[in-house]
Amino acid sequence: MTQKDITFVADFLTEHFNEAPELYNRKGKYFNVERVGQYLKDEDDDLVSPPNTEGNQWFNFLKNSTHLKESPLLFPYYPEKSLHFVKRQMEGVIDQCLQKPADVIGKSVHQAVCMSLYRTSQSEDSTPQLFKLPFLWNDKTSNIHYVLFTILENSISKIYILRRHTDTSRSVSNGILAVDFGNFLNNSINESSDSRCYSCLDAHFYDDETVTVVLKESVEQEGKERVLAQLPLS
């Protein structure tokens, strides 16, 4: 060690480990701990060496402000406590803030309609994932919710569109319908249905009147064709 290193360590010990008779009756050590580590202890005890806030501009500003001093919008400061204590206090406040909305939203949600889309076996282990691509869209002009999705089993070439009115007491025509892409891109009626069969890779609403879909050829061959299609909802 160099003399500079020894001086540094000696200064550190002198500053942080001086005997403090006023702390003799307190729980634990009666000398000052290292000032950073004390903030990280997960304890509710007061800090052994709290920070000196004298001259702090923020505290002086709050102290001299009649409105801010008692404002419920400011999180209270605990100069004698560690960061773990403050963290627990803040988590409690956040949980309290979120509880009321959760209760209100939870009580307002109810089942409007139940539709049977497909049936599976009783064994959960053998049940494949059949529901795919759920995409939600809200048409604020007509107050209608849309859900786009596909069902993988036996309908790989179909995309389903579910429509519900935002007012659950009202119904809409064609509440659920399927669009079959199959071989609709065939150039002539003479082409075999197997040669140009398409399935849906993805689908999103482009706007209130248009649905965008990504299609691919279902035939197992090199260079499968991909098609980006814009479909009018009408």
Side-chain angles (χ1 to χ4, degrees):
M1 297 178 66
T2 65
Q3 185 62 39
K4 186 177 180 180
D5 295 331
I6 297 174
T7 303
F8 176 78
V9 174
D11 289 343
F12 179 86
L13 296 175
T14 301
E15 181 180 357
H16 295 292
F17 291 91
N18 282 338
E19 289 192 3
E22 68 276 8
L23 302 178
Y24 284 176
N25 295 327
R26 295 182 90 173
K27 178 183 176 182
K29 302 295 183 180
Y30 57 82
F31 50 78
N32 291 339
V33 298
E34 197 273 313
R35 292 182 179 177
V36 174
Q38 63 177 346
Y39 290 102
L40 304 179
K41 291 184 177 180
D42 192 4
E43 299 174 352
D44 289 338
D45 295 337
D46 292 347
L47 297 177
V48 176
S49 180
N52 181 15
T53 59
E54 185 178 351
N56 185 296
Q57 294 180 346
W58 173 248
F59 292 118
N60 292 339
F61 173 68
L62 291 182
K63 186 177 179 180
N64 297 326
S65 173
T66 307
H67 301 289
L68 287 179
K69 188 160 51 176
E70 302 298 333
S71 173
L73 299 178
L74 291 178
F75 194 79
Y77 177 59
Y78 303 94
E80 305 287 335
K81 298 296 184 180
S82 71
L83 292 179
H84 280 282
F85 176 86
V86 176
K87 174 177 175 286
R88 285 196 298 272
Q89 294 291 317
M90 183 173 288
E91 287 175 341
V93 172
I94 293 175
D95 290 342
Q96 187 177 3
C97 291
L98 296 179
Q99 187 59 47
K100 186 66 173 178
D103 292 341
V104 172
I105 294 173
K107 292 176 182 177
S108 66
V109 174
H110 63 278
Q111 179 178 302
V113 64
C114 180
M115 296 182 181
S116 177
L117 298 177
Y118 54 80
R119 297 188 183 280
T120 61
S121 62
Q122 296 296 321
S123 174
E124 294 183 0
D125 297 335
S126 62
T127 301
Q129 178 188 358
L130 300 180
F131 197 70
K132 191 182 178 187
L133 298 181
F135 178 77
L136 308 179
W137 181 265
N138 178 236
D139 184 348
K140 295 182 174 61
T141 304
S142 56
N143 295 324
I144 294 179
H145 284 307
Y146 290 90
V147 183
L148 297 179
F149 61 93
T150 58
I151 300 177
L152 300 183
E153 192 175 80
N154 300 326
S155 57
I156 191 69
S157 63
K158 293 179 182 178
I159 181 174
Y160 294 84
I161 304 177
L162 173 66
R163 306 198 305 170
R164 292 293 300 173
H165 202 284
T166 53
D167 181 357
T168 55
S169 64
R170 299 178 58 182
S171 61
V172 293
S173 59
N174 296 326
I176 185 170
L177 55 84
V179 180
D180 191 345
F181 298 105
N183 56 358
F184 81 109
L185 290 179
N186 288 356
N187 294 325
S188 70
I189 60 175
N190 295 325
E191 291 188 47
S192 68
S193 60
D194 295 332
S195 63
R196 298 289 293 276
C197 187
Y198 290 87
S199 60
C200 183
L201 282 177
D202 200 0
H204 281 198
F205 267 83
Y206 181 76
D207 54 30
D208 288 343
E209 290 84 28
T210 312
V211 177
T212 301
V213 295
V214 180
L215 305 173
K216 73 168 182 176
E217 281 189 277
S218 300
V219 180
E220 291 293 338
Q221 62 183 22
E222 289 293 328
K224 290 182 181 179
E225 186 177 1
R226 301 291 194 274
V227 178
L228 180 69
Q230 296 274 72
L231 304 179
L233 198 59
S234 59

